[in-house]
Amino acid sequence: MRSGQVAEAAGVNIQTLRYYERRGLLAEPNRSSGGHRLYGAEAVTALRVIKAAQRLGFTLDEVAELLEAGRHRHGRPAAGLQERATAKLAEVDAKITDLTTIRTALTAAVEAGCDDLTVCASTEGCPIPFTGLAEPLCVP
């Protein structure tokens, strides 16, 4: 398959295909006698795997490590998806906690009618955490 066909089948654009190739996420394709890139069906699968891993929150560097670990297993266990997914899950949980704290403060600010940060900072009972603490702390 040529570049456009692979990109379309995998749901990416040609620039993304070439970028992944430059980064080493995709193997260098064979070339036709006219110099066109020719990919096998495994390129579509690889692109789909890369995009799925990104949707799960993995960076391209992490995706590269996962792909590399998968390529070099040779029957030995490698630090692969299970270990990395567990670590990524801990990161996601930490982000959810942070976002929940932010949501709570913003909801309280909206409910309190805060419209000016400077005024709110000097108002007793201000719900915005100006000190960076998880609990709102306002100057009376």
Side-chain angles (χ1 to χ4, degrees), residues 55-76:
R55 283 190 301 276
L56 291 173
F58 290 100
T59 66
L60 283 180
D61 286 340
E62 291 168 331
V63 172
E65 291 169 5
L66 283 168
L67 293 173
E68 192 63 25
R71 287 183 194 125
H72 291 21
R73 266 189 290 181
H74 301 295
R76 302 186 310 263

Side-chain angles (χ1 to χ4, degrees), residues 97-98 100-106 108 126-137:
T97 299
D98 289 345
T100 299
T101 300
I102 291 167
R103 186 182 197 293
T104 300
L106 288 171
C126 168
I128 299 177
F130 287 100
T131 63
L133 301 173
E135 293 297 316
L137 180 65

Side-chain angles (χ1 to χ4, degrees), residues 110-122:
V110 168
E111 289 172 356
C114 296
D115 202 33
D116 183 310
L117 286 176
T118 305
V119 171
C120 190
S122 60

Side-chain angles (χ1 to χ4, degrees), residues 9-56:
V12 301
N13 62 46
I14 293 175
Q15 290 80 14
T16 299
L17 175 69
R18 298 238 170 89
Y19 179 68
Y20 291 168
E21 205 177 293
R22 285 192 306 274
R23 294 256 340 229
L25 297 169
L26 285 177
E28 176 116 6
N30 293 322
R31 300 273 181 162
S32 70
S33 58
H36 297 285
R37 289 174 169 88
L38 298 174
Y39 297 88
E42 69 280 353
V44 174
T45 301
L47 286 166
R48 289 179 178 161
V49 167
I50 293 165
K51 297 310 286 180
Q54 284 185 298
R55 283 190 301 276
L56 291 173

